[in-house]
Amino acid sequence: MSTERSGGRLRFLDQSAAEAALLRARLDAITRLVALTQRTRSNVEREAAQLGISAVTLYKLLRRYLDDPKPESVLEQRRGWTKGRSRLNTQKTDIIDAAIEDTYLTREKPPVSELVREVNRRMRKAGLKEVMATTVQRRVDRLPADLVLRRREGPKAARDKIGPHTCRYEVEHPLDVIQIDHTLADVIVLDDIHRQPIGRPWLTLAIDIRTRMVFGFHVTLRAPCECSVAYALEQGIRTKAAWLAARNITAPWPVSGVPKALHLDNAREFKARGFLWGCRRHGIETVPRPVKVPHVGGHIERLIGRLMGEVHLLPGTTFSDPRQRGEYDAEGRARITQSEFERWLALQIVGIYHASEHRQLLRPPLAVWEEAITALPLHRRREPPANDDPLLLDFLPFRTPAVDGQTIQLFNLVYHDPILKHWQVRREKPIVRYDKRDMSQVWVFDDAADRYWPISLRDPVPGRISFWEHRQARQALRAQGYREVDQKLVYETILECRALVAEGERRTKRARRGLQSTLDAFRSLDLIDTPAPGTLVSPAPQMLLLPPPEPREEPALPVQRHGQDGPAPRSVTPLPSPADLADEVEEW
């Protein structure tokens, strides 16, 4: 019996002992008849007499069994209209199916109520009686779930929700494959000065696939970029004893060494030239994930999900769903600064996650690491570089500016050093690395000596400036009409911006967030300790009040003077060429 005849049910579990015995007897009789090479009517009548049924009934059972050789084919037929069988005629059925195909299974995802209106409109147009909404709803309910998701939400949604995830990424040794990803932490943090909300920090995480140990991480208020990846990689490759001691953490974190490969998504920072150059220099293979297949990076995704689950217990959490947050005032309940959040996160990783049983490993990741690193052959071990090795510089972003008079220009900052004459003589563009946390110094890579040379600003300033402060100061000066900006004026403007934020209790969140980014950048470079508001402004003069820009004198009528219109223009910095502009694509 087919599934349609049985109403979509297999009634073996509903059978009594007598019905089961009758089914076995019928199957035995039909099996004997099928095995006969010369089947006659007398054979069928003899088997029918033993079963207590007519020969015509046995012929029907035999025909059904031959069409569908299954035990349910010889079950007793239910009388009446079977469940699931449509009572609509063929014309109405075709109209409903066409409306579902044209209206419901579209990317606009209309509701069923709209489908019912369209079906009844087509029924009236064909001169047929309208159908009830439940009739259409039952047709929609019988549609395959994968078909509905694929047509209404796309193949990726269908694959993610109901498709089988068959691929597994397994490696043999620790540090063979490291997965890296970013996430926006579900918590509001405070600034270190006024302890006022400044927003959610970004977290860059790296995990060792073999042992599930956290390889490294980085917390910042800035959006993920090439620098964030470089900081996390440096922390992962280096030994972490000094980093933990600086934060008064006693739990062990033994992960260190150069990885063999990095498993990455297709973000822009993972395709940056500086990052790829550093990977090739240290023999690290980059393995991109397939596009729009997030479960391939499931190891780092699960780690992020676990850590965010712990973050949701912090005061000031935003949760992962607005429906979970409800009326919870995340900013009003925030109690933790960014530096405190970084230490809390480190404690969660080294003190809880590494020491707890992993769901897939069935052991703590720390124990798996110690066992795996001990069993690792000596020729497979890749120890971290020495402390004096400029590891971070190899992964930082770089530019290749032209050398002019032993000077180079980067982001309108002019750097000078006699060492640049070597590139000027060879008429080559040097590789210049820069750290956005401190733009008072850059590093030029010397291929012949295989080392970096530090290059300072041509016009030194009494302090250090970050990339973001320099950009903000130039924007502020440009808004006031200054086009020829000297470095001293830029630095004084930066000091003024810092002081305004440090002294003002009612400053905007954006200003506090920018100042906190500077403080974290300097602290990570070990340039300053945790500051007090009074120490933010250097003992420089009083607040700089910028004079208004000089008004331009425009004559009433154009007058030709020395082949030019109007007064002679002031000297301005020449604009970069289109090739240089292409190199200046910023990852921020």
Side-chain angles (χ1 to χ4, degrees):
M1 171 186 256
S2 65
T3 305
E4 183 180 357
R5 288 179 176 177
S6 61
R9 297 180 59 202
L10 299 180
R11 293 180 282 116
F12 294 115
L13 298 179
D14 299 337
Q15 292 177 348
S16 62
E19 290 176 337
L22 178 61
L23 175 62
R24 287 194 297 270
R26 289 184 175 184
L27 284 175
D28 293 341
I30 291 177
T31 303
R32 290 193 293 269
L33 291 175
V34 171
L36 295 176
T37 56
Q38 295 287 337
R39 187 172 54 246
T40 63
R41 183 174 180 82
S42 60
N43 300 132
V44 176
E45 290 177 347
R46 184 173 60 252
E47 295 290 348
Q50 294 179 1
L51 294 174
I53 59 177
S54 64
V56 175
T57 302
L58 185 55
Y59 268 119
K60 291 180 181 179
L61 296 177
L62 181 61
R63 191 181 309 112
R64 279 160 42 190
Y65 185 83
L66 292 174
D67 294 340
D68 189 11
K70 296 179 181 178
E72 57 264 33
S73 299
V74 298
L75 285 174
E76 190 69 25
Q77 290 288 320
R78 293 182 180 271
R79 295 181 178 273
W81 202 273
T82 57
K83 184 178 180 180
R85 185 178 174 186
S86 176
R87 296 179 182 271
L88 299 178
N89 57 37
T90 304
Q91 188 177 5
K92 286 188 175 182
T93 301
D94 293 341
I95 291 176
I96 295 176
D97 292 342
I100 291 175
E101 179 73 20
D102 302 339
T103 304
Y104 185 75
L105 297 178
T106 59
R107 297 302 292 268
E108 287 74 20
K109 295 182 286 188
V112 177
S113 58
E114 179 64 27
L115 174 62
V116 172
R117 285 192 291 270
E118 176 63 20
V119 167
N120 287 329
R121 186 189 67 80
R122 298 187 184 189
M123 292 290 182
R124 291 191 299 270
K125 185 177 180 180
L128 301 175
K129 184 179 179 181
E130 296 183 359
V131 297
M132 297 180 63
T134 54
T135 301
V136 180
Q137 182 67 59
R138 281 194 295 266
R139 290 299 182 106
V140 171
D141 293 340
R142 288 202 297 266
L143 293 173
D146 59 340
L147 174 64
V148 175
L149 285 173
R150 187 169 61 253
R151 297 287 298 276
R152 287 170 64 91
E153 300 185 23
K156 180 180 180 299
R159 183 172 59 250
D160 292 344
K161 292 183 179 180
I162 61 176
H165 296 170
T166 56
C167 61
R168 293 177 60 87
Y169 204 151
E170 296 181 352
V171 296
E172 184 179 0
H173 301 293
L175 297 181
D176 274 2
V177 179
I178 301 295
Q179 281 186 351
I180 305 179
D181 206 351
H182 315 283
T183 186
L184 189 60
D186 297 332
V187 65
I188 301 292
V189 296
L190 311 176
D191 68 285
D192 288 333
I193 302 175
H194 306 303
R195 298 191 71 87
Q196 294 294 320
I198 54 177
R200 299 164 61 184
W202 281 93
L203 174 62
T204 301
L205 268 171
I207 186 175
D208 175 54
I209 293 183
R210 170 64 180 85
T211 63
R212 306 300 199 275
M213 290 283 285
V214 176
F215 182 70
F217 74 93
H218 177 69
V219 180
T220 179
L221 290 172
R222 302 287 175 178
C225 67
E226 188 178 354
C227 290
S228 303
V229 180
Y231 304 149
L233 272 180
E234 187 203 23
Q235 185 198 49
I237 295 175
R238 303 275 193 195
T239 56
K240 302 171 179 60
W243 190 91
L244 294 172
R247 289 154 181 80
N248 196 23
I249 299 176
T250 58
W253 193 358
V255 179
S256 64
V258 180
K260 183 179 179 182
L262 298 177
H263 196 214
L264 313 164
D265 61 18
N266 293 272
R268 181 170 53 182
E269 57 269 17
F270 297 129
K271 300 177 182 178
R273 297 180 302 168
F275 170 73
L276 297 178
W277 191 92
C279 290
R280 291 164 187 166
R281 177 174 172 81
H282 291 274
I284 303 174
E285 181 185 0
T286 55
V287 182
R289 304 180 202 166
V291 180
K292 297 183 179 181
V293 188
H295 67 270
V296 176
H299 304 86
I300 188 66
E301 298 292 344
R302 282 192 293 268
L303 174 63
I304 290 175
R306 174 167 180 170
L307 292 179
M308 288 304 105
E310 301 296 334
V311 168
H312 294 166
L313 303 178
L314 289 174
T317 177
T318 59
F319 299 94
S320 57
D321 190 339
R323 292 173 295 183
Q324 292 179 326
R325 184 166 65 246
E327 297 181 358
Y328 181 82
D329 183 10
E331 290 195 358
R333 303 274 297 181
R335 296 293 182 272
I336 188 171
T337 65
Q338 180 183 343
S339 56
E340 293 168 347
F341 174 70
E342 182 188 51
R343 185 174 184 272
W344 175 90
L345 189 64
L347 289 171
Q348 287 289 327
I349 291 173
V350 302
I352 299 178
Y353 170 72
H354 285 171
S356 302
E357 179 181 314
H358 194 275
R359 184 177 59 182
Q360 289 187 336
L361 300 177
L362 303 180
R363 298 176 61 196
L366 182 60
V368 177
W369 168 270
E370 292 175 349
E371 178 183 345
I373 205 69
T374 303
L376 188 65
L378 293 177
H379 68 279
R380 293 294 304 272
R381 299 187 182 183
R382 306 181 68 184
E383 300 296 335
N387 292 332
D388 58 349
D389 185 273
L391 173 67
L392 177 62
L393 298 181
D394 292 334
F395 294 95
L396 287 176
F398 71 85
R399 294 291 183 268
T400 55
V403 180
D404 183 13
Q406 301 179 12
T407 62
I408 56 176
Q409 185 172 350
L410 235 65
F411 307 112
N412 298 108
L413 291 171
V414 182
Y415 300 87
H416 170 79
D417 196 278
I419 195 68
L420 292 173
K421 65 183 180 182
H422 297 292
W423 286 271
Q424 186 179 20
V425 170
R426 296 195 300 262
R427 297 182 180 180
E428 296 178 355
K429 292 184 177 181
I431 296 177
V432 182
R433 298 273 182 174
Y434 60 94
D435 190 340
K436 291 194 173 183
R437 298 174 296 183
D438 178 19
M439 295 297 294
S440 63
Q441 181 177 251
V442 296
W443 294 266
V444 176
F445 181 70
D446 189 348
D447 293 319
D450 194 26
R451 60 163 295 179
Y452 289 97
W453 298 98
I455 308 295
S456 301
L457 287 169
R458 182 186 61 183
D459 303 320
V461 294
R464 291 177 169 87
I465 58 176
S466 67
F467 171 84
W468 313 285
E469 286 184 310
H470 174 71
R471 182 175 59 183
Q472 182 182 9
R474 286 190 58 83
Q475 291 174 351
L477 291 173
R478 188 179 294 112
Q480 296 187 33
Y482 289 85
R483 296 188 179 276
E484 296 179 359
V485 180
D486 59 71
Q487 192 55 51
K488 182 179 178 181
L489 184 59
V490 171
Y491 183 71
E492 291 174 346
T493 306
I494 290 174
L495 293 181
E496 183 181 7
C497 293
R498 291 183 191 173
L500 288 175
V501 179
E503 293 180 355
E505 291 288 346
R506 296 188 298 271
R507 298 297 171 186
T508 64
K509 183 194 301 183
R510 181 178 180 180
R512 294 195 307 269
R513 187 180 179 95
L515 181 60
Q516 183 65 38
S517 297
T518 301
L519 299 181
D520 292 332
F522 288 174
R523 186 185 297 113
S524 63
L525 290 169
D526 295 328
L527 301 177
I528 61 173
D529 297 326
T530 303
T535 63
L536 286 173
V537 186
S538 61
Q542 217 52 16
M543 292 295 102
L544 176 65
L545 298 178
L546 300 176
E550 298 179 0
R552 296 185 178 181
E553 297 181 0
E554 298 183 358
L557 295 176
V559 180
Q560 298 291 334
R561 295 182 181 178
H562 305 289
Q564 294 180 348
D565 293 338
R570 297 181 295 175
S571 60
V572 296
T573 304
L575 294 176
S577 65
D580 293 333
L581 286 175
D583 289 338
E584 292 294 321
V585 175
E586 191 49 45
E587 68 270 15
W588 284 94

